[in-house]
């Protein structure tokens, strides 16, 4: 793909723009791959032609808006200014009560999509202080803004009526449909784009697998966690079958499970925990926002993922990558291993330098000790020599005196 990216830089603008749009479609799932984006658009067409058109228009005009605002060309080429646009276009069509092929809907779609880079840039200036991504916050803000500004009883852009639950759901465990329950896993992945067709979800899984098997595995795991959480919290079976409990957990599990953290078994468990937390938070946010006639969108994913990215820990096994180094889980893991090897090499080098320094200090101490011993020995030797000389002189004097006495005695005898 890096080779393809360099080749694409030399092509004419329209072909580059198509590449950026496809990457933007895939970046919703944290994937920077035009082939994955092409498969995703294929899945959207399989779901609904009108929705696919709105998604394409949203991605296109969000990217054009980023070009007009002269945002980072590298970020535009990676699709980072397009993924909120495709969600805005898709979900405006999904929540519209005007039906399919209501062409007037393209006007607010284009306007809100072109607002995505503005909101993204504003949020990035805030989140960059903590080295955090903006995720899908622009999409959440703009779609909720549009739905609040129009509402269900609007003449031009009516929205679907969303109301809070007013009665206890009738849940009979014996009536659970296991086939639909297991089918809710691919449906949950499809609901990231607002799609409830399991075949569409299956195409999305393929698009993830060809780009990153780790991302694909965590997407499936996150959707399964959402399904289990829905059962545990006694959610209506219809909501679970429809994938409404899975899509936020899918994004949360991908984000934590190797995308913004280097994947270790501790991070894997952290991703599962985040998915469960996201499911619980999703139920709470859905209940609150339904009182205002609004969907939960991806607010649960954003809040839960940002919360887990802000945690601090003393273990080296949970390593948050710098935002500038984030690519895809496999490459992130290689970067982490390389960094650990460099740290290990630096540690060994530091220990070697400290050992050499300690050896030098030991040698210096031994040298000083030897010099001290030599000085003491020299001082002792000098003292001993002086004493021997004095004793020799005294002996000589005594011998002289004795000789004199002997000569005196001999003279007296004579």
């Amino acid at each position: 793909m890096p080779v393809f990216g360099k080749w694409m830089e030399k092509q004419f603008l329209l072909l580059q723009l198509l590449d950026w749009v496809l990457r933007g479609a895939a970046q919703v799932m944290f994937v920077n791959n035009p082939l994955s984006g092409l498969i995703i658009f294929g899945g959207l067409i399989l779901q609904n032609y009108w929705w696919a058109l709105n998604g394409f228009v949203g991605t296109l005009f969000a990217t054009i808006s980023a070009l007009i605002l002269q945002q980072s060309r590298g970020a535009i080429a990676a699709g980072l200014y397009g993924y909120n646009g495709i969600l805005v276009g898709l979900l405006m069509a999904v929540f519209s009560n005007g039906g399919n092929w209501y062409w007037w809907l393209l006007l607010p779609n284009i306007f809100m999509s072109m607002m995505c880079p503005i909101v993204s840039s504003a949020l990035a200036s805030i989140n960059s202080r903590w080295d955090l991504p903006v995720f899908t916050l622009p999409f959440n803000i703009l779609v909720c803004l549009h739905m609040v500004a129009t509402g269900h009883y609007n003449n031009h852009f009516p929205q679907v009526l969303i109301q809070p639950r007013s009665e206890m759901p009738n849940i009979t465990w014996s009536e659970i449909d296991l086939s639909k329950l297991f089918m809710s896993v691919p449906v949950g992945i499809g609901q990231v784009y607002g799609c409830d067709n399991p075949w569409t979800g299956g195409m999305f899984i393929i698009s993830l697998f060809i780009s990153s098997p780790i991302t694909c595995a965590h997407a499936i795991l996150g959707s399964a966690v959402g399904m289990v959480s829905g059962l545990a919290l006694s959610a209506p079976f219809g909501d679970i079958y429809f994938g409404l409990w899975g899509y936020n957990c899918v994004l949360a599990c991908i984000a934590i499970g190797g995308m913004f953290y280097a994947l270790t078994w501790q991070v894997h468990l952290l991703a599962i925990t985040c998915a469960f937390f996201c499911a619980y938070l999703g139920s709470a946010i859905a209940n609150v926002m339904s009182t205002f006639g609004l969907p939960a969108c991806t607010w649960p994913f954003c809040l839960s993922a940002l919360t887990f990215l802000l945690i601090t820990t003393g273990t080296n096994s949970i390593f948050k990558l710098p935002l500038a180094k984030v690519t895809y889980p496999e490459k992130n893991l290689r970067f982490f291993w390389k960094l650990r090897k460099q740290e290990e090499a630096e540690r060994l080098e530091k220990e070697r330098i400290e050992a050499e320094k300690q050896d030098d200090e030991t040698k210096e101490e031994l040298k000083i000790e030897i010099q001290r011993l030599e000085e003491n020995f020299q001082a002792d030797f000098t003292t001993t020599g002086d004493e021997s000389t004095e004793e020799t002189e005294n002996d000589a004097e005594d011998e002289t005196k004795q000789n004199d006495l002997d000569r005196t005695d001999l003279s007296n005898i004579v």
Side-chain angles (χ1 to χ4, degrees):
M1 276 303 163
V3 176
F4 177 79
K6 292 180 180 179
W7 176 81
M8 184 58 67
E9 292 176 358
K10 302 176 183 178
Q11 307 307 310
F12 58 94
L13 183 59
L14 288 179
L15 187 59
Q16 290 186 42
L17 189 60
L18 178 61
D19 176 64
W20 300 341
V21 168
L22 294 177
R23 291 178 187 271
Q27 280 287 4
V28 177
M29 295 279 205
F30 306 102
V31 170
N32 183 13
N33 190 324
L35 180 58
S36 297
L38 185 62
I39 296 174
I40 287 171
F41 270 116
L44 294 176
I45 292 172
L46 179 64
Q47 171 74 35
N48 187 297
Y49 293 107
W50 173 241
W51 294 3
L53 176 61
N54 277 270
F56 179 81
V57 170
T59 316
L60 177 63
F61 279 91
T63 305
I64 291 174
S65 176
L67 289 171
I68 295 172
L69 293 172
Q70 296 184 357
Q71 298 297 310
S72 169
R73 182 58 69 94
I76 295 173
L80 295 178
Y81 285 101
Y83 70 92
N84 279 294
I86 189 174
L87 290 177
V88 167
L90 280 170
L91 273 298
M92 284 179 67
V94 170
F95 293 121
S96 173
N97 210 28
N100 292 338
W101 310 109
Y102 182 65
W103 294 98
W104 290 108
L105 184 64
L106 292 177
L107 294 178
N109 180 355
I110 292 172
F111 176 73
M112 286 298 180
S113 297
M114 295 189 74
M115 289 295 295
C116 285
I118 297 176
V119 179
S120 294
S121 180
L123 291 174
S125 65
I126 299 173
N127 287 12
S128 61
R129 298 182 180 182
W130 296 276
D131 201 33
L132 294 173
V134 297
F135 288 131
T136 54
L137 286 173
F139 150 70
N140 291 321
I141 293 171
L142 293 171
V143 166
C144 289
L145 174 63
H146 171 72
M147 295 187 69
V148 171
T150 55
H152 177 65
Y153 301 103
N154 188 276
N155 289 328
H156 298 296
F157 308 109
Q159 307 299 317
V160 296
L161 183 62
I162 299 176
Q163 294 179 324
R165 190 179 301 147
S166 58
E167 59 183 5
M168 184 77 69
N170 184 18
I171 298 176
T172 305
W173 290 99
S174 60
E175 296 179 359
I176 193 169
D177 191 330
L178 293 179
S179 62
K180 289 184 178 180
L181 191 65
F182 286 105
M183 199 70 70
S184 68
V185 174
V187 171
I189 295 174
Q191 281 289 2
V192 172
Y193 294 86
C195 301
D196 62 347
N197 189 329
W199 293 104
T200 297
M203 292 183 68
F204 293 168
I205 291 174
I206 294 173
S207 72
L208 295 178
F209 183 79
I210 64 174
S211 181
S212 170
I214 293 177
T215 298
C216 180
H218 280 90
I220 296 172
L221 182 61
S223 186
V225 166
M227 178 260 292
V228 172
S229 300
L231 294 175
L233 291 177
S234 190
F237 293 151
D239 292 349
I240 299 175
Y241 300 155
F242 201 59
L244 297 181
W245 279 80
Y247 71 96
N248 276 299
C249 301
V250 168
L251 294 174
C253 199
I254 293 174
I256 303 301
M259 184 56 64
F260 296 96
Y261 283 109
L263 185 62
T264 59
W265 68 267
Q266 293 92 337
V267 168
H268 181 67
L269 294 179
L270 189 68
I272 296 174
T273 305
C274 182
F276 275 110
F277 175 76
C278 183
Y280 206 97
L281 184 63
S283 178
I285 291 178
N287 290 334
V288 172
M289 297 192 70
S290 63
T291 60
F292 301 99
L294 294 173
C297 295
T298 57
W299 286 108
F301 150 64
C302 292
L303 296 178
S304 59
L306 289 174
T307 299
F308 274 70
L309 287 177
L310 285 171
I311 64 174
T312 57
T313 177
T315 176
N316 294 328
S317 299
I318 300 178
F319 175 74
K320 179 178 174 292
L321 288 97
L323 199 57
K325 297 294 183 181
V326 173
T327 51
Y328 56 93
E330 289 79 5
K331 189 174 181 179
N332 294 341
L333 190 57
R334 290 196 295 269
F335 172 77
F336 174 65
W337 286 340
K338 182 179 179 181
L339 192 64
R340 290 291 294 270
K341 288 180 181 179
Q342 289 178 350
E343 291 177 351
E344 183 66 18
E346 290 175 358
R347 185 184 65 81
L348 293 175
E349 180 67 16
K350 185 177 180 180
E351 290 180 353
R352 185 185 66 81
I353 293 173
E354 290 179 353
E356 290 180 355
K357 184 178 180 181
Q358 188 174 4
D359 290 342
D360 293 339
E361 291 177 353
T362 303
K363 291 178 181 178
E364 188 66 25
E365 291 177 357
L366 288 174
K367 184 177 179 181
I368 293 172
E369 183 67 19
I370 290 172
Q371 290 179 351
R372 187 180 65 80
L373 291 175
E374 288 179 350
E375 290 175 358
N376 292 338
F377 177 76
Q378 186 67 28
D380 293 341
F381 179 79
T382 303
T383 303
T384 303
D386 292 341
E387 291 177 355
S388 300
T389 303
E390 185 177 351
E391 289 178 357
T392 303
E393 290 177 353
N394 291 335
D395 292 341
E397 289 178 358
D398 292 340
E399 186 177 354
T400 302
K401 289 179 180 180
Q402 185 65 36
N403 291 335
D404 291 342
L405 289 174
D406 291 339
R407 282 195 295 270
T408 301
D409 292 338
L410 182 61
S411 300
N412 292 333
I413 294 173
V414 174

